[in-house]
Amino acid sequence: RAKQEGRNRFCFFSHDLESSLMERHHLETRLRKALINDELFVHYQPKIDLQTNIIIGAEALVRLANDEGELISPAEFIPLAEESGLIIMLGKQVLNKACAEAKRWLEMGHTIPISVNVAAAQFADPDLAGMIKKALLDHNLPAHLLELEITETALMIDAADMQNKLSELISLGIKIAIDDFGTGYSSLAYLKKFNVDVMKIDMSFVKDMLNNKHDYEIVKTIISLGKSMGLVLIAEGVETKEQSHALVELGCFMGQGYLFSRPLNSTDFEAFISQSSKCVKGINSVDE
Ligand code: C2E
Ligand code: MG
Ligand code: MG
Ligand code: MG
């Protein structure tokens, strides 16, 4: 009986493994096809000055639809893209779309810096800096309007080597942000050596900062660390006015989150900018 149970259990795991491998294979095929046929698209989420509601930037977030037309989460396909090597092609496509979009905004009269996420595996590409330089040239986008978001975890994988790679990128004139700060294990010594410009406070701390004393203290500590290092601070996942006010009180003046806007397709983002420029001119009330 025990033997039979054991066998059943084995069958269960093996079946599970098989279906997850098939799912993985299916997703990889879908991603590969999307890359070849240029079917990936990009959504843009505004970054907001918490005191004035003015747009101070936008983050490019890649989107992929399955065969039924439903969106697949990047949290699912980015890791797969990293493991399969497809991330190099994906990263290039997203960067080029994002640069083209930021150039369009510029031509519309809006100077909005664009942030693009760069995965850890992209740093294995010796031509990363060359690819970025070419994208800026091809789209005639001033380098200071491009920011790369690199997760704290990715920065620390090979921190010593990362220092050189970051210097090469910074010499292009672009900005660097540490993404999801607080979720990795930063060595403060490296943090000081990295020449980054922006620190993004991970949304997991912002989420509960007003109901959880520990999260509040973590946010407060990250803000004071960032400030003492002279970094620009931006909070991710701001969903309520109360969070926004508390962040300003603690000295974090920029935010991104559903309170202001979800990530938008390029048409909707352009509409959002036009509306928000009225806001800057004082046609809409800035408060509430
Ligand atoms: P991330 O870079 O930290 O991006 C922020 C994520 O939080 C986005 O999820 C965004 O839609 C979501 N978000 C924004 N505001 C709120 C909010 O108020 N509440 C909540 N609950 N969520 C909010 P998304 O687009 O699903 O992306 C997930 C992750 O996938 C990103 O995290 C990033 O690590 C990765 N990713 C997305 N696009 C790219 C890309 O083009 N390249 C690379 N390498 N990674 C990407
Ligand atoms: Mg990001
Ligand atoms: Mg993040
Ligand atoms: Mg994240």
Side-chain angles (χ1 to χ4, degrees):
R1 196 186 138 89
K3 218 178 188 175
Q4 199 175 354
E5 249 176 37
R7 194 155 47 225
N8 284 341
R9 211 165 9 219
F10 177 76
C11 285
F12 173 73
F13 280 125
S14 139
H15 177 77
D16 221 39
L17 182 66
E18 188 181 301
S19 67
S20 88
L21 281 174
M22 270 170 64
E23 252 172 55
R24 218 190 111 96
H25 178 73
H26 188 73
L27 184 56
E28 189 178 325
T29 306
R30 176 71 199 98
L31 179 59
R32 201 177 286 276
K33 186 171 150 252
L35 284 164
I36 292 166
N37 299 338
D38 192 24
E39 291 167 345
L40 286 177
F41 51 102
V42 180
H43 279 180
Y44 301 90
Q45 188 179 36
K47 298 183 180 185
I48 304 289
D49 179 320
L50 298 175
Q51 291 170 298
T52 62
N53 273 6
I54 292 172
I55 301 180
I56 47 100
E59 177 171 4
L61 295 156
V62 67
R63 296 292 180 258
L64 169 67
N66 65 17
D67 298 329
E68 285 74 46
E70 303 150 337
L71 290 183
I72 309 167
S73 168
E76 247 179 89
F77 65 85
I78 293 290
L80 183 69
E82 287 203 78
E83 289 160 31
S84 61
L86 293 172
I87 192 73
I88 305 298
M89 209 173 159
L90 182 152
K92 186 175 172 180
Q93 288 189 8
V94 172
L95 181 74
N96 277 280
K97 288 179 199 292
C99 287
E101 195 63 37
K103 183 65 185 181
R104 263 174 67 85
W105 301 334
L106 210 51
E107 282 164 352
M108 289 167 63
H110 304 285
T111 307
I112 302 175
I114 183 83
S115 304
V116 176
N117 293 283
V118 178
Q122 288 181 263
F123 286 91
D125 173 12
D127 192 40
L128 178 64
M131 186 276 283
I132 293 167
K133 191 175 176 182
K134 184 169 186 310
L136 289 168
L137 282 171
D138 286 351
H139 299 283
N140 193 20
L141 184 72
H144 72 272
L145 292 182
L146 176 64
E147 178 178 282
L148 302 182
E149 294 192 4
I150 308 167
T151 64
E152 182 193 5
T153 311
L155 279 173
M156 293 298 160
I157 289 174
D158 187 358
D161 187 47
M162 190 54 93
Q163 242 184 297
N164 301 323
K165 289 184 172 158
L166 284 186
S167 303
E168 193 186 1
L169 295 175
I170 289 162
S171 71
L172 297 176
I174 64 180
K175 303 276 193 297
I176 306 288
I178 308 185
D179 204 353
D180 302 350
F181 191 80
T183 58
Y185 300 90
S186 279
S187 146
L188 293 183
Y190 271 114
L191 211 50
K192 197 182 71 183
K193 284 183 194 163
F194 289 150
N195 215 346
V196 303
D197 307 279
V198 179
M199 188 178 266
K200 298 190 77 179
I201 306 169
D202 191 70
M203 71 173 91
S204 60
F205 307 116
V206 175
K207 190 174 187 291
D208 287 325
M209 67 179 285
L210 295 179
N211 343 316
N212 182 315
K213 184 93 186 90
H214 293 302
D215 287 341
Y216 184 85
E217 290 301 325
I218 291 171
V219 171
K220 191 173 161 183
T221 304
I222 293 175
I223 292 172
S224 92
L225 176 65
K227 273 182 152 179
S228 71
M229 293 175 57
L231 302 180
V232 171
L233 284 152
I234 172 157
E236 302 188 277
V238 182
E239 294 188 357
T240 69
K241 274 184 195 149
E242 289 73 22
Q243 288 165 350
S244 172
H245 290 157
L247 286 161
V248 169
E249 231 165 71
L250 290 175
C252 174
F253 304 113
M254 292 172 192
Q256 187 183 346
Y258 297 166
L259 172 62
F260 309 105
S261 172
R262 291 184 177 257
L264 303 170
N265 66 36
S266 57
T267 309
D268 290 346
F269 188 85
E270 283 169 25
F272 188 90
I273 309 174
S274 309
Q275 229 178 306
S276 143
S277 63
K278 285 182 206 147
C279 178
V280 178
K281 289 173 201 141
I283 294 168
N284 289 346
S285 168
V286 169
D287 245 328
E288 271 37 77

